[in-house]
């Protein structure tokens, strides 16, 4: 009698061992068939499982055990039907400040399970800082959730400071924080600029990273900066673009980021704030597929806007302080082995999908999720659902020791 056994899914295949004899299974009687499927895919439907059985049957393995295979695949379905809802609000169980240089001190916090699997949240901007809602992407019973404000951002001091503020400084800060919290290794989560920093940190310290979740891919390439800050995105948001444009005299418009740099670092505080508000509102008005008034109002907060605009501008003028335009793509081999999910809104105007697509092409092993009805923000329903599910997938991998 032919019998079938289901092997644990690998990254790309399901292995099925088939015993074609009437004797108890032994290695000499087993034939192993490999059937490719997407890794931990939530798209593996009942029709897909049926096709797997039919494929085995087409090779001559017809038996009463077909139903057993389907039952096994139904069990696999239960594993991959993941929670996609944000978790409830929680408060930190510890907070602190870490002096990372003679100039800078960064704010950090921990929430969730003190004995759980560590995950570090890397915020966007740069300059955006963290918010309490950032904790909601993670299961607080499983994860030890670490948030921190990057140099000059949020509660970190000095506020909006550009001195000793580069990507390498931020990478070093992440390591200092990991060591300060006595964490051997952790999961890395980042969106927008946070995806940039997540890639850069993971490529610098791949041995300290257990998994990666990325959203709204930004590689700080010239074409990405030109698209958003030099008039490309104005084709979609001309009404939002004109106030950003009109702050700059016509004779300085050949480079908006350099014109804004001059004003964001002016000796006149009101000039700084006016430039910061215009810069921040431009991004906030384009960050959602549908307008989000609460997000847009952040542009009226002078303290937030100054850090957000000045630090972003500083990094973008310097192209992220990377040695080449394609640096992050060129170094994917260093992290290719790490379980990773890339989440991208189809209609992301701030970080258009071309960058996520370019990353996907050089890193096909990473799980790639395109949200068809979303823009840039992590708080859009479809993107939030995929981010929660990505963390759930990594949680299951860790729990199952895979």
């Amino acid at each position: 009698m032919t019998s079938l056994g289901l092997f644990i899914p690998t990254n790309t295949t399901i292995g099925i061992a088939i015993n074609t004899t009437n004797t108890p299974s032994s290695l000499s009687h087993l034939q192993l068939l490999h059937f490719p499927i997407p890794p931990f895919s939530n798209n593996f439907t009942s029709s897909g499982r049926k096709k797997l059985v039919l494929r085995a049957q087409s090779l001559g393995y017809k038996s009463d055990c077909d139903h057993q295979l389907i039952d096994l695949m139904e069990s696999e379905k239960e594993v991959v039907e993941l929670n996609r809802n944000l978790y409830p609000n929680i408060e930190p169980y510890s907070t602190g400040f870490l002096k990372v240089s003679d100039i800078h001190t960064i704010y950090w916090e921990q929430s969730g399970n003190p004995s759980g699997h560590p995950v570090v949240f890397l915020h966007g901007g740069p300059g955006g800082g963290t918010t309490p809602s950032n904790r909601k992407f993670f299961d607080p019973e499983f994860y030890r959730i670490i948030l921190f404000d990057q140099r000059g951002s949020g509660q970190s001091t000095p506020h909006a400071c550009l001195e000793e503020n580069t990507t390498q400084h931020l990478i070093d800060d992440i390591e200092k924080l990991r060591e300060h919290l006595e964490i051997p290794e952790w999961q890395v989560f980042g969106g927008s600029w946070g995806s940039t920093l997540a890639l850069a940190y993971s490529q610098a310290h791949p041995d300290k990273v257990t998994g990666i979740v990325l959203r709204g891919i930004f590689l700080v390439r010239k074409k990405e900066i030109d698209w958003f800050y030099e008039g490309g995105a104005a084709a979609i948001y001309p009404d939002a673009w004109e106030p950003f444009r009109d702050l700059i005299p016509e004779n300085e418009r050949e480079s908006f980021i350099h014109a804004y740099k001059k004003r964001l670092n002016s000796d006149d505080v009101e000039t700084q704030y006016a430039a910061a508000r215009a810069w921040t509102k431009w991004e906030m008005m384009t960050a959602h597929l549908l307008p989000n008034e609460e997000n847009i109002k952040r542009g009226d907060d002078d303290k937030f806007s100054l850090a957000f605009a000045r630090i972003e501008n500083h990094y973008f003028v310097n192209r992220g302080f990377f040695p080449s335009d394609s640096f992050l793509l060129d170094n994917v081999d260093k992290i290719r082995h790490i379980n990773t999910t890339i989440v991208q809104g189809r209609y992301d105007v701030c970080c258009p999908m071309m960058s996520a697509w370019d990353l996907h092409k050089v890193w096909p092993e990473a799980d790639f999720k395109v949200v068809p009805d979303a823009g840039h923000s992590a708080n859009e329903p479809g993107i939030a659902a995929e981010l929660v599910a990505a963390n759930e997938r990594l949680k299951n991998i860790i729990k199952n020791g895979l």
Side-chain angles (χ1 to χ4, degrees), residues 102-141:
D102 291 339
I103 297 173
H104 290 276
T105 299
I106 61 171
Y107 166 80
W108 59 266
E109 65 171 53
Q110 297 187 92
S111 57
N113 182 353
S115 301
H117 186 78
V119 57
V120 61
F121 179 98
L122 304 180
H123 67 69
T130 57
T131 64
S133 64
N134 299 150
R135 307 167 194 145
K136 298 170 67 174
F137 296 106
F138 312 96
D139 179 353
E141 294 186 2

Short mmCIF file of all heavy atoms in Angstrom, two decimals, residues 102-141:
data_model
loop_
_atom_site.label_atom_id
_atom_site.label_comp_id
_atom_site.label_asym_id
_atom_site.label_seq_id
_atom_site.Cartn_x
_atom_site.Cartn_y
_atom_site.Cartn_z
N ASP A 102 29.71 62.35 23.21
CA ASP A 102 29.86 63.53 24.06
C ASP A 102 28.72 64.52 23.83
O ASP A 102 28.42 65.34 24.69
CB ASP A 102 31.20 64.22 23.77
CG ASP A 102 32.39 63.39 24.25
OD1 ASP A 102 32.19 62.53 25.12
OD2 ASP A 102 33.51 63.61 23.74
N ILE A 103 28.08 64.42 22.65
CA ILE A 103 27.01 65.36 22.30
C ILE A 103 25.63 64.75 22.50
O ILE A 103 24.74 65.40 23.06
CB ILE A 103 27.16 65.81 20.83
CG1 ILE A 103 28.49 66.56 20.64
CG2 ILE A 103 25.98 66.66 20.38
CD1 ILE A 103 28.79 66.88 19.19
N HIS A 104 25.43 63.51 22.07
CA HIS A 104 24.09 62.94 21.92
C HIS A 104 23.72 61.97 23.04
O HIS A 104 24.54 61.14 23.47
CB HIS A 104 23.97 62.22 20.58
CG HIS A 104 23.95 63.15 19.41
ND1 HIS A 104 22.81 63.78 18.97
CD2 HIS A 104 24.95 63.58 18.60
CE1 HIS A 104 23.10 64.55 17.93
NE2 HIS A 104 24.39 64.45 17.68
N THR A 105 22.46 62.06 23.46
CA THR A 105 21.84 61.10 24.37
C THR A 105 20.53 60.66 23.74
O THR A 105 19.74 61.49 23.28
CB THR A 105 21.57 61.74 25.74
OG1 THR A 105 22.80 62.15 26.32
CG2 THR A 105 20.88 60.75 26.67
N ILE A 106 20.29 59.34 23.66
CA ILE A 106 19.08 58.84 23.00
C ILE A 106 18.09 58.28 24.02
O ILE A 106 18.47 57.65 25.01
CB ILE A 106 19.40 57.78 21.93
CG1 ILE A 106 20.10 56.55 22.52
CG2 ILE A 106 20.25 58.38 20.81
CD1 ILE A 106 20.23 55.38 21.54
N TYR A 107 16.82 58.52 23.75
CA TYR A 107 15.74 57.97 24.56
C TYR A 107 15.44 56.55 24.08
O TYR A 107 15.40 56.28 22.88
CB TYR A 107 14.48 58.82 24.41
CG TYR A 107 13.22 58.14 24.93
CD1 TYR A 107 12.93 58.12 26.29
CD2 TYR A 107 12.34 57.50 24.05
CE1 TYR A 107 11.80 57.48 26.77
CE2 TYR A 107 11.20 56.86 24.52
CZ TYR A 107 10.93 56.85 25.87
OH TYR A 107 9.81 56.21 26.34
N TRP A 108 15.19 55.64 25.03
CA TRP A 108 14.78 54.28 24.68
C TRP A 108 13.68 53.82 25.64
O TRP A 108 13.52 54.36 26.73
CB TRP A 108 15.95 53.30 24.73
CG TRP A 108 16.64 53.19 26.08
CD1 TRP A 108 17.74 53.88 26.50
CD2 TRP A 108 16.24 52.37 27.19
NE1 TRP A 108 18.06 53.55 27.80
CE2 TRP A 108 17.17 52.61 28.24
CE3 TRP A 108 15.21 51.46 27.40
CZ2 TRP A 108 17.07 51.97 29.47
CZ3 TRP A 108 15.11 50.81 28.63
CH2 TRP A 108 16.05 51.07 29.65
N GLU A 109 12.95 52.81 25.20
CA GLU A 109 11.90 52.22 26.04
C GLU A 109 11.73 50.75 25.71
O GLU A 109 12.09 50.30 24.61
CB GLU A 109 10.57 52.94 25.83
CG GLU A 109 10.00 52.76 24.44
CD GLU A 109 8.58 53.28 24.30
OE1 GLU A 109 8.34 54.44 24.66
OE2 GLU A 109 7.72 52.52 23.82
N GLN A 110 11.19 50.01 26.67
CA GLN A 110 10.87 48.60 26.45
C GLN A 110 9.43 48.34 26.88
O GLN A 110 8.97 48.85 27.92
CB GLN A 110 11.79 47.69 27.27
CG GLN A 110 13.26 47.79 26.90
CD GLN A 110 14.09 46.76 27.63
OE1 GLN A 110 14.32 45.65 27.14
NE2 GLN A 110 14.57 47.10 28.82
N SER A 111 8.72 47.54 26.09
CA SER A 111 7.35 47.14 26.44
C SER A 111 7.16 45.68 26.04
O SER A 111 8.04 45.07 25.45
CB SER A 111 6.34 48.04 25.73
OG SER A 111 6.52 48.01 24.33
N GLY A 112 5.99 45.15 26.38
CA GLY A 112 5.73 43.75 26.06
C GLY A 112 6.26 42.81 27.12
O GLY A 112 6.19 43.09 28.32
N ASN A 113 6.83 41.70 26.69
CA ASN A 113 7.30 40.64 27.58
C ASN A 113 8.79 40.81 27.88
O ASN A 113 9.62 40.67 26.97
CB ASN A 113 7.05 39.28 26.91
CG ASN A 113 7.45 38.11 27.78
OD1 ASN A 113 8.05 38.28 28.85
ND2 ASN A 113 7.14 36.90 27.33
N PRO A 114 9.16 41.10 29.13
CA PRO A 114 10.58 41.29 29.45
C PRO A 114 11.45 40.08 29.13
O PRO A 114 12.66 40.22 28.90
CB PRO A 114 10.58 41.57 30.96
CG PRO A 114 9.19 42.04 31.25
CD PRO A 114 8.30 41.32 30.29
N SER A 115 10.82 38.90 29.08
CA SER A 115 11.56 37.67 28.76
C SER A 115 11.31 37.21 27.32
O SER A 115 11.69 36.10 26.95
CB SER A 115 11.17 36.55 29.74
OG SER A 115 11.43 36.93 31.08
N GLY A 116 10.64 38.06 26.55
CA GLY A 116 10.27 37.68 25.19
C GLY A 116 11.39 37.84 24.20
O GLY A 116 12.53 38.22 24.54
N HIS A 117 11.07 37.55 22.94
CA HIS A 117 12.06 37.69 21.87
C HIS A 117 12.25 39.17 21.55
O HIS A 117 11.28 39.87 21.24
CB HIS A 117 11.62 36.94 20.61
CG HIS A 117 12.66 36.93 19.54
ND1 HIS A 117 13.75 36.10 19.57
CD2 HIS A 117 12.80 37.69 18.42
CE1 HIS A 117 14.51 36.32 18.51
NE2 HIS A 117 13.97 37.30 17.80
N PRO A 118 13.46 39.69 21.58
CA PRO A 118 13.66 41.12 21.37
C PRO A 118 13.43 41.54 19.92
O PRO A 118 13.81 40.84 18.99
CB PRO A 118 15.13 41.34 21.76
CG PRO A 118 15.55 40.09 22.46
CD PRO A 118 14.72 38.99 21.91
N VAL A 119 12.79 42.69 19.75
CA VAL A 119 12.62 43.31 18.44
C VAL A 119 12.88 44.79 18.60
O VAL A 119 12.39 45.42 19.55
CB VAL A 119 11.22 43.04 17.83
CG1 VAL A 119 10.11 43.53 18.74
CG2 VAL A 119 11.11 43.67 16.45
N VAL A 120 13.66 45.37 17.69
CA VAL A 120 13.94 46.80 17.75
C VAL A 120 13.21 47.49 16.61
O VAL A 120 13.25 47.06 15.46
CB VAL A 120 15.46 47.08 17.70
CG1 VAL A 120 16.11 46.57 16.42
CG2 VAL A 120 15.74 48.57 17.90
N PHE A 121 12.51 48.56 16.95
CA PHE A 121 11.73 49.34 16.00
C PHE A 121 12.56 50.55 15.56
O PHE A 121 13.00 51.35 16.40
CB PHE A 121 10.42 49.80 16.64
CG PHE A 121 9.55 50.65 15.75
CD1 PHE A 121 8.50 50.07 15.05
CD2 PHE A 121 9.78 52.01 15.60
CE1 PHE A 121 7.69 50.85 14.23
CE2 PHE A 121 8.97 52.79 14.78
CZ PHE A 121 7.93 52.20 14.08
N LEU A 122 12.78 50.69 14.25
CA LEU A 122 13.56 51.80 13.71
C LEU A 122 12.60 52.76 13.01
O LEU A 122 12.00 52.42 11.99
CB LEU A 122 14.62 51.27 12.73
CG LEU A 122 15.58 50.22 13.32
CD1 LEU A 122 16.59 49.78 12.26
CD2 LEU A 122 16.28 50.75 14.56
N HIS A 123 12.47 53.97 13.56
CA HIS A 123 11.50 54.92 13.03
C HIS A 123 11.99 55.59 11.75
O HIS A 123 13.16 55.50 11.37
CB HIS A 123 11.13 55.95 14.10
CG HIS A 123 12.23 56.89 14.49
ND1 HIS A 123 12.72 57.86 13.65
CD2 HIS A 123 12.93 57.03 15.66
CE1 HIS A 123 13.65 58.56 14.26
NE2 HIS A 123 13.81 58.06 15.48
N GLY A 124 11.05 56.28 11.12
CA GLY A 124 11.34 56.91 9.84
C GLY A 124 11.81 58.34 9.98
O GLY A 124 12.12 58.84 11.05
N GLY A 125 11.83 59.00 8.86
CA GLY A 125 12.33 60.35 8.74
C GLY A 125 13.52 60.35 7.77
O GLY A 125 13.32 60.31 6.56
N PRO A 126 14.76 60.39 8.31
CA PRO A 126 15.13 60.41 9.73
C PRO A 126 14.68 61.71 10.38
O PRO A 126 14.50 62.72 9.72
CB PRO A 126 16.66 60.32 9.70
CG PRO A 126 17.05 60.84 8.35
CD PRO A 126 15.94 60.47 7.41
N GLY A 127 14.46 61.62 11.69
CA GLY A 127 13.98 62.78 12.43
C GLY A 127 12.57 62.63 12.94
O GLY A 127 12.07 63.50 13.67
N GLY A 128 11.88 61.53 12.56
CA GLY A 128 10.47 61.37 12.91
C GLY A 128 10.20 61.02 14.34
O GLY A 128 9.15 61.37 14.89
N GLY A 129 11.11 60.31 15.00
CA GLY A 129 10.88 59.87 16.37
C GLY A 129 9.84 58.76 16.45
O GLY A 129 9.19 58.42 15.46
N THR A 130 9.70 58.20 17.65
CA THR A 130 8.74 57.11 17.86
C THR A 130 7.46 57.65 18.47
O THR A 130 7.41 58.75 19.01
CB THR A 130 9.33 56.04 18.79
OG1 THR A 130 9.71 56.66 20.04
CG2 THR A 130 10.55 55.37 18.17
N THR A 131 6.40 56.84 18.38
CA THR A 131 5.12 57.16 19.01
C THR A 131 4.60 55.91 19.70
O THR A 131 4.99 54.78 19.34
CB THR A 131 4.07 57.63 17.97
OG1 THR A 131 3.78 56.54 17.08
CG2 THR A 131 4.58 58.83 17.18
N PRO A 132 3.70 56.05 20.69
CA PRO A 132 3.18 54.87 21.39
C PRO A 132 2.53 53.84 20.47
O PRO A 132 2.58 52.64 20.74
CB PRO A 132 2.15 55.47 22.36
CG PRO A 132 2.66 56.85 22.63
CD PRO A 132 3.25 57.31 21.33
N SER A 133 1.93 54.29 19.36
CA SER A 133 1.27 53.36 18.45
C SER A 133 2.24 52.40 17.78
O SER A 133 1.82 51.35 17.26
CB SER A 133 0.47 54.12 17.39
OG SER A 133 1.34 54.89 16.57
N ASN A 134 3.53 52.72 17.77
CA ASN A 134 4.52 51.84 17.16
C ASN A 134 4.59 50.48 17.86
O ASN A 134 5.03 49.49 17.26
CB ASN A 134 5.91 52.47 17.19
CG ASN A 134 6.01 53.77 16.42
OD1 ASN A 134 6.81 54.64 16.77
ND2 ASN A 134 5.20 53.95 15.38
N ARG A 135 4.16 50.42 19.11
CA ARG A 135 4.23 49.16 19.87
C ARG A 135 3.18 48.15 19.41
O ARG A 135 3.31 46.96 19.68
CB ARG A 135 4.00 49.45 21.36
CG ARG A 135 4.90 50.52 21.94
CD ARG A 135 4.42 50.98 23.32
NE ARG A 135 5.07 52.22 23.72
CZ ARG A 135 4.50 53.19 24.43
NH1 ARG A 135 3.23 53.04 24.84
NH2 ARG A 135 5.16 54.28 24.75
N LYS A 136 2.15 48.62 18.69
CA LYS A 136 0.98 47.79 18.41
C LYS A 136 1.18 46.78 17.28
O LYS A 136 0.32 45.95 17.03
CB LYS A 136 -0.21 48.70 18.08
CG LYS A 136 -0.61 49.60 19.24
CD LYS A 136 -1.62 50.66 18.85
CE LYS A 136 -2.96 50.08 18.49
NZ LYS A 136 -3.97 51.14 18.25
N PHE A 137 2.33 46.83 16.61
CA PHE A 137 2.59 45.87 15.53
C PHE A 137 3.07 44.52 16.06
O PHE A 137 3.21 43.57 15.29
CB PHE A 137 3.66 46.43 14.58
CG PHE A 137 3.24 47.67 13.85
CD1 PHE A 137 3.74 48.91 14.18
CD2 PHE A 137 2.31 47.59 12.81
CE1 PHE A 137 3.36 50.06 13.50
CE2 PHE A 137 1.90 48.73 12.13
CZ PHE A 137 2.43 49.97 12.47
N PHE A 138 3.31 44.42 17.36
CA PHE A 138 3.97 43.25 17.93
C PHE A 138 3.13 42.60 19.02
O PHE A 138 2.52 43.31 19.84
CB PHE A 138 5.33 43.65 18.52
CG PHE A 138 6.16 44.50 17.60
CD1 PHE A 138 6.15 45.89 17.71
CD2 PHE A 138 6.93 43.91 16.60
CE1 PHE A 138 6.91 46.68 16.86
CE2 PHE A 138 7.69 44.69 15.75
CZ PHE A 138 7.68 46.07 15.86
N ASP A 139 3.12 41.28 19.05
CA ASP A 139 2.44 40.52 20.10
C ASP A 139 3.16 40.78 21.42
O ASP A 139 4.30 40.33 21.60
CB ASP A 139 2.47 39.03 19.75
CG ASP A 139 1.81 38.15 20.79
OD1 ASP A 139 1.44 38.67 21.87
OD2 ASP A 139 1.67 36.94 20.54
N PRO A 140 2.53 41.47 22.37
CA PRO A 140 3.23 41.83 23.60
C PRO A 140 3.49 40.65 24.53
O PRO A 140 4.29 40.77 25.46
CB PRO A 140 2.29 42.84 24.26
CG PRO A 140 0.93 42.49 23.75
CD PRO A 140 1.15 41.99 22.34
N GLU A 141 2.83 39.52 24.28
CA GLU A 141 3.11 38.33 25.09
C GLU A 141 4.34 37.59 24.59
O GLU A 141 4.98 36.86 25.34
CB GLU A 141 1.90 37.40 25.09
CG GLU A 141 0.68 37.99 25.79
CD GLU A 141 -0.46 36.99 25.88
OE1 GLU A 141 -0.27 35.82 25.43
OE2 GLU A 141 -1.53 37.35 26.39
#
